[in-house]
Amino acid sequence: MKIYRPSDTCFDEMKSRMNRRALPEDSVRDTVNAIIQDVSARGDEALFDYAARFDRVHLDPSSLFVTEAELAEAEAAVEDSVKEAIAVSLANIHYFSDRSRRQDWSGVNAQGVEVAERFLPYDRVGIYIPGGKAPLVSTSIMTGGFAQAAGVREIVAATPCGPDGRVNPALLYALKASGATEIVKIGGAQAIAALALGTESVKPVEKIFGPGNRFVVEAKRQLVGAVAIDLLPGPSEVMVLADETADAEFLAADLLAQGEHGPDSVVVFVTTSEALLEQVEAEVERQAALLSRGSIIREVLDKHAYGFLVSSIQEGVDLVNAFAPEHLVLVTRDEDAVLDGIRTAGAIYAGALSTVACGDFLAGPSHTLPTGGAGKSFSGLRADQFQRRTSMVRMNRDAVLKSAPYVAEFARVEGLDAHNHSLQVRAARVDR
């Protein structure tokens, strides 16, 4: 972990580098654009070629989707304890979703016009589950579970398979339990292109959800318009803001937990206490040596781990808002007061006993959160993102007459006499 103190000549420069915007690299943008164009032009054949190139698997139309037999086999293979954990997490997701889902409403404005909003679930959505060495069972339920809670009828999951054409059984079971109606064995930017544009075999979706690597995130960015997206969730990251009241062992464990996601993960520790900074640094080294994914964690610690000693909690809050962390662990003497100043974090874990891991797996809010600075513009995934909003207007005689003079003024100023005419013909009729 690279440590920066106010006495360091590069301190201000490194602080300024923490002020991020989620912008793509030119090489990533060009690569993704080429993949999207290829999938658009060649459809299934492009998907099969990319699967062979990147995942070393030979797919065809008969093996592109997970079959009912594969789902049944997966269900039989998954331990009861895993099934119970998935069920408990899904129950918490539904509990959280029931309270955050938007509800229909109606009212009457000052001119007597009835105005309303309706919120209906999307008909068909796509959820992306990244591949890699660790089967992201939790991501299946932290995306699909929200679609299920919102009442989406068709939930299409995309996740890469192994060279044998199979998907991890626990991952498949979690997808089925979360309401997935189709599971396509494709990953990467090509999967996002297929979900957005469609191919001979993959019917396009209306909105895409889920995290991924920088190529997946860039594909979602480029395809906005052809399809809606949730947010821009890339490689995992955590920021810890703490004062001298915090426990170094706990904080180090939180930093390492996010670091083990992959070599692109980012961990940042910010504190007002020199003693705590040194204790956390030592704890990170001690605990990292005990963990099974130590080589990945070591790469993160060497390349993407930062510690900052700041002069005040307010300076730390400013650094948090500039960085816009995916996860923020907050352990200070007066956490509620500090919380008032936090504006950009994707998710906040307040208090010494609150752990990001519980949020990742179990608590109920989705762990699909904005990264790379996107938290300045996006919020984390939630149930209401699976709802399509429609506004409604209903007018009676009095509403027409009371609204007509104001519509006439807007139409006159903007030079849109047909707008005015459409209301005045009604006003003339009802005023007889």
Side-chain angles (χ1 to χ4, degrees), residues 24-37 215 218 222:
E25 301 171 21
D26 289 345
S27 60
V28 173
R29 183 173 58 243
D30 294 344
T31 297
V32 168
N33 181 64
I35 291 173
I36 291 172
Q37 297 304 318
F215 297 97
E218 177 58 16
Q222 290 191 22

Short mmCIF file of all heavy atoms in Angstrom, two decimals, residues 24-37 215 218 222:
data_model
loop_
_atom_site.label_atom_id
_atom_site.label_comp_id
_atom_site.label_asym_id
_atom_site.label_seq_id
_atom_site.Cartn_x
_atom_site.Cartn_y
_atom_site.Cartn_z
N PRO A 24 -13.61 6.30 -20.59
CA PRO A 24 -12.97 5.11 -21.18
C PRO A 24 -11.61 5.42 -21.77
O PRO A 24 -11.33 6.56 -22.17
CB PRO A 24 -13.96 4.72 -22.29
CG PRO A 24 -14.58 6.01 -22.71
CD PRO A 24 -14.70 6.83 -21.44
N GLU A 25 -10.78 4.41 -21.85
CA GLU A 25 -9.51 4.54 -22.55
C GLU A 25 -9.77 4.42 -24.05
O GLU A 25 -10.67 3.71 -24.48
CB GLU A 25 -8.55 3.42 -22.10
CG GLU A 25 -8.26 3.40 -20.62
CD GLU A 25 -7.49 2.15 -20.21
OE1 GLU A 25 -6.85 1.53 -21.09
OE2 GLU A 25 -7.55 1.79 -19.03
N ASP A 26 -8.96 5.10 -24.84
CA ASP A 26 -9.16 5.07 -26.29
C ASP A 26 -9.09 3.65 -26.84
O ASP A 26 -9.90 3.27 -27.70
CB ASP A 26 -8.10 5.94 -26.98
CG ASP A 26 -8.33 7.43 -26.74
OD1 ASP A 26 -9.44 7.80 -26.30
OD2 ASP A 26 -7.40 8.22 -26.98
N SER A 27 -8.12 2.88 -26.37
CA SER A 27 -7.95 1.52 -26.90
C SER A 27 -9.15 0.65 -26.56
O SER A 27 -9.59 -0.16 -27.38
CB SER A 27 -6.67 0.89 -26.35
OG SER A 27 -6.72 0.81 -24.92
N VAL A 28 -9.69 0.82 -25.34
CA VAL A 28 -10.87 0.05 -24.94
C VAL A 28 -12.07 0.47 -25.77
O VAL A 28 -12.84 -0.37 -26.25
CB VAL A 28 -11.15 0.25 -23.44
CG1 VAL A 28 -12.48 -0.42 -23.05
CG2 VAL A 28 -10.02 -0.33 -22.61
N ARG A 29 -12.24 1.77 -25.96
CA ARG A 29 -13.36 2.27 -26.75
C ARG A 29 -13.32 1.72 -28.17
O ARG A 29 -14.35 1.27 -28.71
CB ARG A 29 -13.34 3.79 -26.78
CG ARG A 29 -14.52 4.40 -27.53
CD ARG A 29 -14.57 5.91 -27.41
NE ARG A 29 -13.34 6.53 -27.90
CZ ARG A 29 -12.51 7.24 -27.15
NH1 ARG A 29 -12.77 7.42 -25.86
NH2 ARG A 29 -11.43 7.78 -27.67
N ASP A 30 -12.16 1.71 -28.79
CA ASP A 30 -12.04 1.24 -30.17
C ASP A 30 -12.28 -0.26 -30.26
O ASP A 30 -12.94 -0.74 -31.19
CB ASP A 30 -10.66 1.59 -30.72
CG ASP A 30 -10.45 3.09 -30.87
OD1 ASP A 30 -11.45 3.83 -30.84
OD2 ASP A 30 -9.27 3.51 -30.98
N THR A 31 -11.72 -1.01 -29.30
CA THR A 31 -11.92 -2.46 -29.31
C THR A 31 -13.39 -2.82 -29.16
O THR A 31 -13.92 -3.67 -29.89
CB THR A 31 -11.11 -3.11 -28.17
OG1 THR A 31 -9.72 -2.87 -28.38
CG2 THR A 31 -11.36 -4.61 -28.11
N VAL A 32 -14.05 -2.16 -28.24
CA VAL A 32 -15.47 -2.45 -28.00
C VAL A 32 -16.32 -2.06 -29.20
O VAL A 32 -17.23 -2.79 -29.59
CB VAL A 32 -15.94 -1.73 -26.72
CG1 VAL A 32 -17.46 -1.76 -26.60
CG2 VAL A 32 -15.30 -2.36 -25.50
N ASN A 33 -16.01 -0.92 -29.80
CA ASN A 33 -16.77 -0.51 -30.98
C ASN A 33 -16.67 -1.55 -32.09
O ASN A 33 -17.66 -1.86 -32.77
CB ASN A 33 -16.27 0.84 -31.48
CG ASN A 33 -17.05 1.32 -32.69
OD1 ASN A 33 -18.25 1.57 -32.64
ND2 ASN A 33 -16.36 1.44 -33.81
N ALA A 34 -15.47 -2.10 -32.28
CA ALA A 34 -15.28 -3.12 -33.32
C ALA A 34 -16.09 -4.37 -33.00
O ALA A 34 -16.68 -4.99 -33.90
CB ALA A 34 -13.80 -3.46 -33.44
N ILE A 35 -16.13 -4.77 -31.73
CA ILE A 35 -16.90 -5.95 -31.34
C ILE A 35 -18.39 -5.71 -31.57
O ILE A 35 -19.10 -6.59 -32.10
CB ILE A 35 -16.63 -6.30 -29.87
CG1 ILE A 35 -15.19 -6.81 -29.70
CG2 ILE A 35 -17.63 -7.34 -29.36
CD1 ILE A 35 -14.77 -7.01 -28.26
N ILE A 36 -18.88 -4.55 -31.20
CA ILE A 36 -20.30 -4.24 -31.39
C ILE A 36 -20.66 -4.29 -32.87
O ILE A 36 -21.68 -4.87 -33.26
CB ILE A 36 -20.63 -2.86 -30.79
CG1 ILE A 36 -20.54 -2.91 -29.26
CG2 ILE A 36 -22.02 -2.39 -31.23
CD1 ILE A 36 -20.66 -1.56 -28.59
N GLN A 37 -19.82 -3.68 -33.70
CA GLN A 37 -20.10 -3.69 -35.14
C GLN A 37 -20.08 -5.12 -35.70
O GLN A 37 -20.89 -5.46 -36.57
CB GLN A 37 -19.08 -2.82 -35.88
CG GLN A 37 -19.12 -1.35 -35.49
CD GLN A 37 -20.49 -0.73 -35.69
OE1 GLN A 37 -21.17 -0.98 -36.69
NE2 GLN A 37 -20.91 0.07 -34.73
N PHE A 215 -14.29 -3.62 -20.56
CA PHE A 215 -14.85 -3.81 -21.90
C PHE A 215 -16.38 -3.94 -21.82
O PHE A 215 -17.09 -3.42 -22.67
CB PHE A 215 -14.23 -5.04 -22.56
CG PHE A 215 -12.75 -4.91 -22.79
CD1 PHE A 215 -11.84 -5.44 -21.89
CD2 PHE A 215 -12.26 -4.22 -23.89
CE1 PHE A 215 -10.48 -5.31 -22.08
CE2 PHE A 215 -10.90 -4.08 -24.10
CZ PHE A 215 -10.00 -4.62 -23.19
N GLU A 218 -17.74 -0.44 -21.04
CA GLU A 218 -17.69 0.42 -22.22
C GLU A 218 -18.75 0.01 -23.24
O GLU A 218 -19.34 0.87 -23.91
CB GLU A 218 -16.29 0.37 -22.84
CG GLU A 218 -16.14 1.17 -24.13
CD GLU A 218 -16.47 2.64 -23.98
OE1 GLU A 218 -16.52 3.15 -22.84
OE2 GLU A 218 -16.68 3.30 -25.02
N GLN A 222 -21.55 2.51 -24.80
CA GLN A 222 -21.71 2.77 -26.23
C GLN A 222 -23.09 2.40 -26.75
O GLN A 222 -23.54 2.96 -27.76
CB GLN A 222 -20.64 2.01 -27.02
CG GLN A 222 -19.24 2.55 -26.85
CD GLN A 222 -18.25 1.95 -27.84
OE1 GLN A 222 -18.61 1.45 -28.90
NE2 GLN A 222 -16.96 2.01 -27.49
#
